[in-house]
Amino acid sequence: MAQYVKKDDDLDEEEYSPFCGIEKGAVLQEARVFNDPQLDSRRCSQVITKLLYLLNQGDTFTKTEATEVFFSVTKLFQARDIGLRRMVYLIIKELSPSSDEVIIVTSSLMKDMNSKTDVYRANAIRVLCRITDGTLLTQIERYLKQAIVDKNPVVASAALVSGIHLLQTNPEIVKRWSNEVQEAVQSRAALVQFHALALLQQIRQNDRLAVSKLVTSLTKGTVRSPLAQCLLIRYTSQVIRESSMNGQTGDRPFYDYLEGCLRHKSEMVIFEAARAITELSGVTSRELTPAITVLQLFLSSSKPVLRFAAVRTLNKVAMTHPMAVTTCNIDMESLISDQNRSIATLAITTLLKTGNESGVDRLMKQITSFMSDIADEFKIVVVDAIRSLCLKFPLKFRTLMNFLSSILREEGGFEYKKAIVDSIVTIITDVPDAKEGGLLHLCEFIEDCEFTYLSTQILHFLGNEGPKTSDPSKYIRYIYNRVILENATVRASAVSTLAKFGAMVDSLKPRIFVLLRRCLYDNDDEVRDRATLYLNTIGGDGSVVETDKDVKGFLFGSLDLPLANLETSLKNYEPSEEPFDISSVSKAIKSQPFAEKKAAAKKPTGLGAPPAGPTSTADTYEKLLLSIPEFSTFGPLFKSSAPVELTESETEYEVNVVKHIFDKHVVFQFNCTNTIPEQLLENVTVVVDASEAEEFEEVATKPLTSLPYGTPGQTFVAFEKPEGVPAVGKFTNVLRFIVKEVDPSTGEAEEEDGVEDEYQLEEFEVVAADYMLKVGVSNFRNAWESLGPDFERVDEYGLGPRESLKEAVSAVINLLGMQPCEGTEVVAANSRSHTCLLSGVYIGNVKVAVRLSFGVDSAKEVAMKLAVRSEDEAVSDAIHELVAN
């Protein structure tokens, strides 16, 4: 037996494992003990434990090693030791033997499944269902049905849990067990009732009516198990949610049941019911009251888990119904000093969401002492809540800004510091009175900032906002100090910031000129090059080499090009006598190619948040369309949309469409996938009916010759439309093809002619947003002023009742298809008003900028003021017409 080192008393704080340092080869050698004539049960159990440890740590066994271990383990079925038998079950499950090996242990497992020892029976069921295939399952189905209604709860639960797993691979067999599972739901054993209800719901989950009947029958009081009761509450919430989605009016079904569960003797059930009520769609204050009351009681519980659950739920409720949570504020204030820092953090952020203006100062004093005791991840949550509070109570900006400034000077990691800087930037942007003080706080921070990224981003922001303050000169010292004391990256950024001050503030130009001259002697090429460039732009002694408009446009203007497109064009440029032409760079933000999957990612906000860019740098669509002779004469591609799904997932054929917009044409690219292994599709086309799109006329079709199983392919249909006009319409589609049966073993078609068939697809529309490119600008104010008021159009619109201001803002952004600027697509929680800035390029390469001002009243009626500026009067009118319609 291996000698285990005694744990040293001096190493109490270190992690200790008896398996430390074991090697796979040595353990496999030890596994030979399974073949001994006289089995040592204890030693065999220890070796299996080591094997399980290796498998769970990620070690892999070769096919030969796994087979040898498996056959050795099967010999242990002759041992009578119950503990060893349980270890045998575990190792067989983990080894997952192949189908030809399973038959070796099947007879032993079936014998155990009918044993008089209940522990053998339960574990044998679990192992058999884990390693068996459909053929063997039909042979043991009778035993499994009997086990489901067995009097021993351990055996019954094992069969039910096995059924839940088997439902994923052999659903048809498991669905035949409904009667037995229904009987198990009435069991007096808590765990059996819980597992039976879970399995029964999964069997019926695709039949809404059956699930509704199940919930109706069980909510009448036949469920005794607290675990099953919690499960039933979740299923009830699902039924309520689906009934509201289907437009059912009148009293909310099952609400009385949820409210009744608030008086259950089990705390687990009470909490589950309270959480379910708070998460109901469109829940009213009257419906919330009983749930808030029980959660308030949990806040003073002696159990940390109940306090945490309650405060986390109340934190979520505070985002949508802050007034309903204010009754709990006194209880939550006592939790600020809770030993569990997670509870304390949630209590503080909830108070920040629900507190009133008069209590802000008192709350800040409590938070100050608390911040040093929590980790950065919790501090970030608090900082985000403080930012929202400042936007809610702008008159309190001094208190909140001073707090953010003080914690900015304390120790902390990059993400924490970035969250604070983002918050200060947001407050400066949204609360004009906070600008000068906030900029000084940022200047003081960069004096000791250790993060290059934050320093450069602050300098960039300072260059945009500093010149607009009442006394811009007070920032020059801080900026020039960065030129002297920082690394090359920050020095280069500081040089650019100085130039912006010189361009925007006439009185500072001579001073800036002198400072830039000093930068010519820097030891870094980038710093010297920038200084030289700006000196040639801004003349000495206050003179300006270029016109003021040119200088401001150069220093403050946006690039108006997706950086990824510029990068691609520069990489493709071959040095020659012809200089690189920046006008040749496409302004289109390319949609993701059909073969790539789009990964969902949280959008960053605040300082340094990049504008939305293309998901692929390769001009995939452009190259594809140029390679097709029928479309090569259509001219430059203006825009490609994101794929629009025309079929549901996991259907026989999966089809989506990408809309390619040209000046006089629209090309629909249908991306098709055949998901049936036994079929080959040939001559695949999509018949598009444009009867509801009168301005479109079909001019070309490119069919797909062959569509084998699992290999995506494309077919195209092109339409002509009036030149430069944003024509819209609805299109109906049918997929037509010749289907041939395929021999799965060879992959060859079994017939020559095949059968003509068709498949109905969903409709799709070409909308006005398809003619708008999402093109961001780095400085919206300058972009707005550069367009001028000549073609500005302003009007007000009523958007009717909305779920929230956030939903209204999102709807208008999607309608216009423009790029949100400066993070203004993010709406603060419980905000009553919001301003959103959008930019884009309309078909014909017309620049457009939009200001949206939203307001919502107590009845959730949303009003919107729309201001549009563009380079073409007709485009400004078209944007308003789009919203009006």
Side-chain angles (χ1 to χ4, degrees):
M1 184 184 295
Q3 296 295 315
Y4 295 112
V5 180
K6 183 181 177 182
K7 188 177 179 183
D8 195 323
D9 292 337
D10 297 334
L11 302 177
D12 287 343
E13 299 300 320
E14 294 185 12
E15 214 172 294
Y16 174 76
S17 169
F19 302 105
C20 185
I22 67 171
E23 296 181 357
K24 183 177 76 170
V27 177
L28 291 174
Q29 288 291 329
E30 288 186 64
R32 294 180 178 178
V33 72
F34 301 155
N35 299 317
D36 289 351
Q38 297 295 323
L39 289 174
D40 183 339
S41 297
R42 186 180 177 202
R43 189 178 179 194
C44 289
S45 293
Q46 289 173 342
V47 174
I48 291 177
T49 303
K50 291 181 182 180
L51 290 168
L52 289 169
Y53 174 80
L54 289 171
L55 287 169
N56 281 282
Q57 289 299 307
D59 280 297
T60 56
F61 293 174
T62 65
K63 177 68 174 173
T64 304
E65 291 169 344
T67 301
E68 289 179 357
V69 171
F70 173 72
F71 280 111
S72 298
V73 166
T74 58
K75 297 176 183 179
L76 299 180
F77 274 102
Q78 59 188 312
R80 299 289 183 182
D81 188 276
I82 293 178
L84 177 58
R85 183 65 60 87
R86 296 180 71 180
M87 298 300 291
V88 170
Y89 293 138
L90 285 173
I91 192 66
I92 290 175
K93 280 172 59 179
E94 289 299 322
L95 288 172
S96 298
S98 59
S99 57
D100 55 339
E101 296 170 346
V102 167
I103 196 168
I104 305 298
V105 291
T106 299
S107 58
S108 298
L109 290 171
M110 290 185 70
K111 181 180 177 182
D112 283 355
M113 197 167 71
N114 294 290
S115 169
K116 293 181 179 180
T117 306
D118 289 333
V119 175
Y120 285 2
R121 293 170 61 203
N123 285 308
I125 288 171
R126 291 177 184 271
V127 177
L128 261 176
C129 293
R130 173 72 176 268
I131 66 176
T132 191
D133 57 14
T135 306
L136 180 60
L137 186 59
T138 56
Q139 298 177 26
I140 64 172
E141 182 181 4
R142 177 169 60 88
Y143 300 108
L144 293 174
K145 283 185 176 183
Q146 291 173 355
I148 288 172
V149 293
D150 195 275
K151 292 180 180 179
N152 188 298
V154 177
V155 175
S157 276
L160 289 164
V161 171
S162 298
I164 292 172
H165 292 302
L166 288 170
L167 197 62
Q168 310 303 319
T169 54
N170 296 277
E172 296 306 318
I173 293 176
V174 178
K175 287 176 182 178
R176 296 201 293 258
W177 306 350
S178 291
N179 292 336
E180 287 77 13
V181 177
Q182 184 78 52
E183 185 178 339
V185 171
Q186 308 304 323
S187 171
R188 291 183 175 275
L191 213 54
V192 174
Q193 194 173 50
F194 170 65
H195 289 142
L197 178 56
L199 178 55
L200 191 59
Q201 190 273 343
Q202 287 196 30
I203 289 173
R204 300 181 179 182
Q205 63 181 346
N206 294 323
D207 187 344
R208 290 184 181 178
L209 183 59
V211 173
S212 182
K213 287 181 178 179
L214 174 65
V215 169
T216 302
S217 64
L218 295 178
T219 51
K220 294 176 181 177
T222 57
V223 177
R224 301 178 186 86
S225 162
L227 283 169
Q229 193 89 340
C230 290
L231 210 53
L232 180 57
I233 289 171
R234 295 186 181 185
Y235 299 153
T236 303
S237 300
Q238 180 184 337
V239 172
I240 294 174
R241 188 161 52 248
E242 289 175 352
S243 65
S244 63
M245 288 172 61
N246 293 334
Q248 183 173 328
T249 57
D251 294 338
R252 199 190 296 272
F254 303 113
Y255 174 79
D256 291 339
Y257 165 72
L258 294 178
E259 190 176 14
C261 289
L262 295 174
R263 296 181 286 276
H264 199 276
K265 61 183 178 181
S266 169
E267 292 169 334
M268 176 170 53
V269 175
I270 294 172
F271 170 71
E272 194 67 40
R275 190 180 69 166
I277 290 174
T278 62
E279 292 177 353
L280 291 175
S281 176
V283 64
T284 64
S285 298
R286 184 186 66 80
E287 291 172 328
L288 272 177
T289 301
I292 299 295
T293 302
V294 297
L295 291 172
Q296 186 175 4
L297 293 173
F298 284 170
L299 291 176
S300 54
S301 170
S302 60
K303 301 176 182 177
V305 68
L306 280 179
R307 297 199 302 275
F308 176 78
V311 74
R312 185 173 68 169
T313 304
L314 290 170
N315 185 278
K316 291 180 180 177
V317 176
M319 295 179 184
T320 52
H321 297 81
M323 296 307 296
V325 184
T326 52
T327 55
C328 307
N329 281 5
I330 295 175
D331 299 274
M332 277 189 286
E333 284 190 25
S334 65
L335 294 180
I336 293 178
S337 57
D338 196 285
Q339 290 182 345
N340 187 311
R341 297 288 84 184
S342 298
I343 295 174
T345 305
L346 285 167
I348 282 179
T349 54
T350 307
L351 287 167
L352 289 171
K353 294 171 186 174
T354 60
N356 52 40
E357 194 164 5
S358 60
V360 170
D361 295 319
R362 176 169 52 85
L363 197 55
M364 286 297 105
K365 289 178 182 177
Q366 290 177 287
I367 295 177
T368 302
S369 59
F370 160 83
M371 289 292 282
S372 59
D373 298 332
I374 60 174
D376 279 5
E377 58 184 308
F378 295 128
K379 290 179 182 178
I380 292 172
V381 176
V382 175
V383 168
D384 289 340
I386 289 172
R387 171 171 56 186
S388 299
L389 186 68
C390 191
L391 298 179
K392 183 179 179 182
F393 303 125
L395 294 178
K396 288 292 181 181
F397 76 86
R398 285 189 177 84
T399 301
L400 299 170
M401 189 71 86
N402 289 335
F403 173 79
L404 292 173
S405 174
S406 65
I407 62 175
L408 188 59
R409 292 191 291 270
E410 296 174 358
E411 293 294 322
F414 171 76
E415 292 297 335
Y416 173 47
K417 296 289 186 179
K418 183 177 183 299
I420 301 172
V421 172
D422 282 350
S423 296
I424 292 176
V425 166
T426 302
I427 294 170
I428 290 172
T429 305
D430 290 7
V431 184
D433 292 341
K435 179 178 288 188
E436 299 210 9
L439 290 176
L440 278 176
H441 288 315
L442 293 176
C443 287
E444 291 167 359
F445 169 63
I446 59 173
E447 293 279 278
D448 302 308
C449 181
E450 58 184 305
F451 302 111
T452 298
Y453 173 81
L454 287 182
S455 294
T456 56
Q457 293 300 308
I458 290 172
L459 286 167
H460 176 73
F461 182 71
L462 188 61
N464 291 336
E465 298 297 328
K468 302 168 189 174
T469 59
S470 59
D471 184 12
S473 62
K474 60 186 175 185
Y475 306 110
I476 301 300
R477 173 174 63 88
Y478 296 100
I479 300 169
Y480 188 67
N481 281 347
R482 299 307 96 217
V483 176
I484 301 172
L485 303 173
E486 287 286 3
N487 59 51
T489 303
V490 178
R491 295 203 305 273
S493 183
V495 168
S496 297
T497 303
L498 285 172
K500 289 181 179 181
F501 274 77
M504 297 296 288
V505 185
D506 291 339
S507 61
L508 292 177
K509 284 180 182 176
R511 182 180 173 187
I512 298 297
F513 181 81
V514 173
L515 296 177
L516 290 177
R517 286 290 298 269
R518 294 177 185 174
C519 298
L520 294 175
Y521 303 100
D522 195 276
N523 59 8
D524 181 75
D525 292 343
E526 175 76 12
V527 176
R528 293 197 305 272
D529 289 348
R530 289 196 186 197
T532 303
L533 176 65
Y534 295 134
L535 282 169
N536 288 329
T537 306
I538 305 171
D541 301 323
S543 64
V544 178
V545 176
E546 312 285 346
T547 65
D548 279 348
K549 184 177 180 181
D550 292 336
V551 171
K552 292 175 184 177
F554 172 70
L555 293 177
F556 289 87
S558 61
L559 188 60
D560 285 344
L561 291 173
L563 290 178
N565 291 9
L566 178 60
E567 180 187 7
T568 301
S569 298
L570 287 170
K571 285 180 178 178
N572 294 336
Y573 172 69
E574 295 181 1
S576 64
E577 294 182 0
E578 290 293 325
F580 176 77
D581 183 8
I582 197 168
S583 63
S584 65
V585 181
S586 171
K587 295 183 179 181
I589 295 181
K590 303 295 181 187
S591 301
Q592 192 166 20
F594 58 86
E596 298 178 12
K597 296 292 183 183
K598 189 174 182 180
K602 184 177 179 182
K603 290 183 180 179
T605 57
L607 186 64
T615 55
S616 171
T617 55
D619 295 337
T620 310
Y621 293 132
E622 213 160 1
K623 292 177 181 177
L624 180 64
L625 294 169
L626 285 173
S627 67
I628 301 172
E630 292 89 337
F631 313 141
S632 58
T633 60
F634 287 179
L637 176 65
F638 176 71
K639 177 184 177 180
S640 296
S641 74
V644 179
E645 297 297 332
L646 302 183
T647 58
E648 295 183 0
S649 59
E650 300 180 1
T651 53
E652 300 98 313
Y653 314 110
E654 295 179 358
V655 181
N656 64 53
V657 62
V658 177
K659 297 171 278 187
H660 301 295
I661 308 297
F662 295 84
D663 195 36
K664 292 179 61 178
H665 299 85
V666 175
V667 176
F668 300 134
Q669 173 183 327
F670 295 94
N671 303 312
C672 310
T673 304
N674 171 19
T675 64
I676 304 177
E678 298 81 12
Q679 288 187 357
L680 169 67
L681 307 187
E682 293 185 347
N683 194 25
V684 181
T685 60
V686 175
V687 179
V688 182
D689 180 1
S691 57
E692 295 184 61
E694 297 178 354
E695 294 182 277
F696 293 84
E697 181 180 351
E698 185 173 331
V699 292
T701 300
K702 180 173 176 54
L704 175 60
T705 306
S706 177
L707 186 63
Y709 164 70
T711 303
Q714 303 84 43
T715 177
F716 300 84
V717 181
F719 284 83
E720 189 175 20
K721 67 175 188 64
E723 183 174 358
V725 174
V728 297
K730 182 184 292 185
F731 298 84
T732 306
N733 316 280
V734 176
L735 183 69
R736 286 189 181 165
F737 48 85
I738 295 174
V739 60
K740 295 182 178 180
E741 295 297 324
V742 172
D743 184 351
S745 59
T746 63
E748 298 293 330
E750 295 180 342
E751 50 192 338
E752 292 186 6
D753 297 333
V755 179
E756 290 189 5
D757 200 355
E758 63 181 40
Y759 188 83
Q760 186 66 47
L761 304 176
E762 298 287 337
E763 297 177 341
F764 70 89
E765 292 183 84
V766 172
V767 296
D770 291 323
Y771 297 95
M772 180 72 75
L773 271 180
K774 290 185 176 182
V775 177
V777 293
S778 57
N779 188 308
F780 183 85
R781 178 177 294 182
N782 289 321
W784 179 264
E785 291 174 355
S786 68
L787 287 173
D790 295 343
F791 300 132
E792 181 177 354
R793 297 291 180 269
V794 183
D795 207 343
E796 296 181 356
Y797 302 91
L799 303 184
R802 297 279 174 169
E803 284 292 323
S804 64
L805 197 58
K806 179 181 178 181
E807 188 260 336
V809 172
S810 178
V812 176
I813 291 175
N814 292 335
L815 174 69
L816 297 179
M818 300 179 70
Q819 177 65 45
C821 301
E822 301 176 8
T824 54
E825 74 275 20
V826 179
V827 183
N830 306 313
S831 178
R832 289 288 182 184
S833 61
H834 184 72
T835 299
C836 184
L837 311 175
L838 307 175
S839 68
V841 173
Y842 201 64
I843 189 168
N845 288 322
V846 180
K847 294 180 181 178
V848 185
V850 167
R851 287 181 185 266
L852 300 168
S853 301
F854 295 87
V856 60
D857 60 19
S858 56
K860 293 191 175 181
E861 293 278 346
V862 178
M864 180 185 73
K865 181 179 180 181
L866 169 63
V868 182
R869 285 188 179 183
S870 76
E871 298 173 322
D872 188 327
E873 181 179 9
V875 172
S876 298
D877 291 335
I879 300 294
H880 274 279
E881 186 177 346
L882 174 61
V883 174
N885 292 336

